[in-house]
Amino acid sequence: MQQLTVNDALGQALAEEMRRDPKVMMFGEGVATKRQELLNEFGAKRIRNTPLAEGIIAGAAVGAAAMGMRPVIDMLFAPFLTLAMDEIVNSAGKLRYISGGQFSFPLVAIAMTGTGWTVGAQHNHNLEAWFVHSPGLKVVMPSTAADYKGLLKSAIRDDNPVLFFVEMSLSYELGEVPEGEHIVPLGKATIRRAGTDVTLISYGKTVRACEAAASLLAEKGIFAEVIDLRSLKPLDEEAILTSARKTGRVVVVHEANRMCGVGAEVAAIVAEKAFVALRAPVLRITSPDVPAPSSYPLELAFTPQADTIAEAAASLFTAQMEEA
Amino acid sequence: MNETINRKASLAMLESMLLIRTYEEKAAAMQAAGQAAGTCTSIGQEASAVGVVSALSMDDLILTNHRSAGHLLARGADPARLYAEVLGKASGYCKGKSGSLHISVRELGVVLTSTIVGAELSLAAGVALALSMQESSAITACFFGDGAACEGSFHESLNLAAVWRLPILYVCENNQWQAFVHRRETMPMDRIANWAIEHGIETATVDGNDVEAVYRAAKAGIAHIRATGQPYFLETYTYRVRGHYEPDDQSYVDKNELAAWRTRDPIDQLQAKLQLSASEAQALRDRASARIEDAWNQAVGAPYPAISELTKDVYA
Ligand SMILES: Cc1ncc(C[n+]2csc(CCOP(=O)(O)OP(=O)(O)O)c2C)c(N)n1
Ligand SMILES: [Mg+2]
């Protein structure tokens, strides 16, 4: 199998989709400079640098999408999405509905986020839940190179606006990517590690922390199942509930802060629909309610780590917890 | 107005530019050596920072952005505390929570530094509004790039400042680059001052690599603000000689353009103009190097913040 960095896997997905469909185009600040190979193959009409102006980048994508193009926009770092919120939330998310279904918005907005580069709070903000909370949008945040490729292809083909979050600390990490056409459907979670005793549910790079936690737990004889949500909207309720019913114990892990995060939704779904199967409370391991710090030790303390996850999961097996 | 600049003042500006250059070169070298995270250096743009900041009074306020080391050092920031911030140390100006990208130093009047490009333009309006409500005679200097001028907030800020008569010295550091995109690709004209003229604001575009010219133009702009109560727009036409941030191989940069600007180095030019002897020039460089080495060592030796800092400063 080919070994690709996440960044190259995304490049491959873009190239394949642009070859397949002449309506696909891409623009953003530095897109033509940084994706030179796409510029060479597809030309300056379809691969464009833009002025430094997120509002008009997103607005142009929304307008072009409604009129038959399939734009992919690179918004650089997730906090810059705030400058395009009106275009994404009020226009892309709502104009289909409020026009009675006259328009659709097949566009993808890519943005990097996550700890690991000590870039601080104005470049790193896990704000994916904001978009989950906005009707009309889909949200994706993969954890492996193969999924970055397969989900980007699906996102480009989807007829709805998709927010596509890239963990910056994974961008240059190598991973196996299947040769040939590789599609991962939106809205489908995957089991990264099968287990019977407790379910660790996550997305993005904290999936790795969950896998490491599962190894720590296995040493104690606790067999954890690790679920990678990959898509946050649509959310794969089926995968969540099947595992929760099997293990009866659920820990949701994400780097975004706790209150009203995706973990809250997962916990609520489990409480509403798998209550009788639960043998312990659903726990959430998240970052604290603070902007992401730059300082390395603070950034590390901010980020959910394997040992904390393992400890939390193990705590669900104490007698007290079983009673609770 | 044609302010004369005496030799002593020019030498002070030369020293300030040398300190900035040495600071930035060390930061870049330490990044390359794997000892520091990347920063956005202001190499080649020292004259813009030093010329403007030297023309301000200490009670004037400054807003800056991701490329702030020049503005901060020209204002008198301690390079040891700047490096400490870059390294995420507790003694950094923002306790290590900022890193290099958004260093505010309120005690020096450098306020609300944001790395959200264009934010400085929005915020400057409010800062200047507060100063004028409080009947202060201080002005607000707002540094931003040619890229920031592409954001909607640029026009929103200029328009509000013009109609509300806000005492803002807009300083557009037109360094020809917006990260990995040449300015030429983003706007149909060369001079951003043209946009300000349409907002009814007085402007000047100055050779941003001539520190004395920048100083004089800033003084004239400040005098205009004080005399009329209106904002003023100063464009310093310059060049980003290094990459957007470290590391950056600049493979996308036109070699001839870069070479041409290198011959117009602001430090070399002033040094030649002042006709310093080789030994005088060397002595200045040695002094800057000694200060920077000492600052770096202090920062490296400084402790990281306690983990309890993680959850502090979120709410007042
Ligand atoms: C709103 C926003 N968009 C994009 C970025 C990423 N970014 C940081 S600096 C920069 C270029 C800024 O260009 P300019 O304003 O000319 O300032 P310069 O870097 O040249 O000093 C970009 C695109 C950002 N920090 N904020
Ligand atoms: Mg610029």
Side-chain angles (χ1 to χ4, degrees), chain B residues 145-147 173-178:
Chain B
D146 47 297
E173 302 191 296
N174 185 350
N175 67 358
Q176 316 304 320
W177 285 99
Q178 305 172 7

Side-chain angles (χ1 to χ4, degrees), chain B residues 53-310:
Chain B
V53 174
S54 304
L56 296 170
S57 322
M58 273 317 277
D59 58 349
D60 294 333
L61 298 179
I62 295 174
L63 284 92
T64 171
N65 56 14
H66 54 284
R67 211 173 293 288
S68 63
H71 310 135
L72 287 158
L73 288 166
R75 186 64 162 193
D78 175 358
R81 292 192 66 192
L82 292 180
Y83 280 144
E85 190 57 47
V86 170
L87 294 174
K89 301 299 185 73
S91 57
Y93 278 113
C94 308
K95 306 180 192 165
K97 291 176 179 177
S98 163
S100 75
L101 286 170
H102 7 54
I103 305 180
S104 295
V105 185
R106 191 168 188 170
E107 69 205 62
L108 294 174
V110 182
V111 301
L112 304 181
T113 308
S114 170
T115 188
I116 300 298
V117 172
E120 65 280 47
L121 286 152
S122 292
L123 302 175
V127 170
L129 174 64
L131 290 178
S132 71
M133 296 293 286
Q134 293 155 9
E135 287 169 21
S136 161
S137 62
I139 66 156
T140 300
C142 176
F143 286 98
F144 61 98
D146 47 297
C150 294
E151 292 279 7
S153 60
F154 170 86
H155 296 286
E156 296 171 31
S157 178
L158 266 61
N159 185 46
L160 190 71
V163 296
W164 280 7
R165 302 173 70 86
L166 299 174
I168 301 177
L169 177 65
Y170 290 101
V171 185
C172 181
E173 302 191 296
N174 185 350
N175 67 358
Q176 316 304 320
W177 285 99
Q178 305 172 7
F180 308 107
V181 181
H182 198 283
R183 181 192 51 70
R184 217 185 297 114
E185 272 191 79
T186 70
M187 53 182 68
M189 76 295 176
D190 262 352
R191 310 221 152 176
I192 290 157
N194 292 349
W195 281 340
I197 292 168
E198 293 304 319
H199 283 288
I201 296 178
E202 286 289 322
T203 74
T205 298
V206 69
D207 176 357
N209 284 21
D210 177 344
V211 71
E212 294 179 335
V214 173
Y215 175 82
R216 277 194 208 96
K219 277 285 188 197
I222 293 163
H224 175 87
I225 295 169
R226 295 211 202 280
T228 65
Q230 290 281 10
Y232 189 85
F233 192 97
L234 175 62
E235 176 176 18
T236 58
Y237 206 80
T238 181
Y239 199 78
R240 192 194 77 200
V241 166
R242 281 189 81 96
H244 171 49
Y245 55 64
E246 302 298 319
D248 176 349
D249 64 11
Q250 292 180 285
S251 57
Y252 55 91
V253 172
D254 177 342
K255 303 289 167 284
N256 294 328
E257 184 181 74
L258 178 60
W261 277 93
R262 274 191 193 283
T263 65
R264 307 197 51 255
D265 185 86
I267 294 176
D268 293 348
Q269 288 194 98
L270 181 59
Q271 211 166 279
K273 192 167 173 193
L274 292 173
Q275 297 183 317
L276 293 191
S277 71
S279 66
E280 281 171 318
Q282 193 55 46
L284 289 182
R285 278 168 206 271
D286 290 346
R287 198 148 77 210
S289 296
R291 216 176 139 200
I292 289 302
E293 285 307 312
D294 177 55
W296 176 258
N297 292 333
Q298 280 184 50
V300 167
Y304 282 109
I307 297 302
S308 59
E309 271 299 330
L310 177 59

Side-chain angles (χ1 to χ4, degrees), chain A residues 29-30 33-34 49-54 79-80 83 118-123 288-298 301-302, chain B residues 37 88 96-99 101-102 114-117 147-148 150-151 178 180-181 185-186 252 304-307 309-311 314-315:
Chain A
E29 296 158 18
T33 315
K34 288 183 291 183
N49 280 340
T50 63
L52 203 172
E54 292 72 19
F80 311 159
L83 284 90
T118 66
V119 286
Q122 289 186 336
H123 281 70
D289 183 30
V290 309
S294 169
S295 181
Y296 177 72
L298 297 189
F302 174 95
Chain B
K97 291 176 179 177
S98 163
L101 286 170
H102 7 54
S114 170
T115 188
I116 300 298
V117 172
C150 294
E151 292 279 7
Q178 305 172 7
F180 308 107
V181 181
E185 272 191 79
T186 70
Y252 55 91
Y304 282 109
I307 297 302
E309 271 299 330
L310 177 59
T311 51
V314 182
Y315 293 98

Side-chain angles (χ1 to χ4, degrees), chain A residues 156-239:
Chain A
I156 292 171
R157 294 181 193 190
D158 198 272
D159 284 335
N160 298 286
V162 181
L163 276 293
F164 193 96
F165 289 99
V166 177
E167 284 274 7
M168 68 182 95
S169 70
L170 300 182
S171 338
Y172 296 99
E173 198 169 280
L174 279 172
E176 291 195 336
V177 179
E179 312 276 347
E181 180 83 332
H182 171 64
I183 301 272
V184 176
L186 300 178
K188 282 271 168 263
T190 189
I191 297 176
R192 292 272 169 234
R193 175 175 175 137
T196 47
D197 302 334
V198 57
T199 304
L200 308 179
I201 300 177
S202 191
Y203 59 89
K205 78 172 176 299
T206 43
V207 170
R208 314 284 179 87
C210 288
E211 290 175 292
S215 298
L216 295 174
L217 289 164
E219 289 166 18
K220 295 186 178 173
I222 297 172
F223 298 100
E225 180 145 295
V226 177
I227 294 190
D228 181 351
L229 292 172
R230 308 192 288 194
S231 290
L232 307 181
K233 194 178 194 176
L235 190 59
D236 190 347
E237 275 199 27
E238 190 55 39

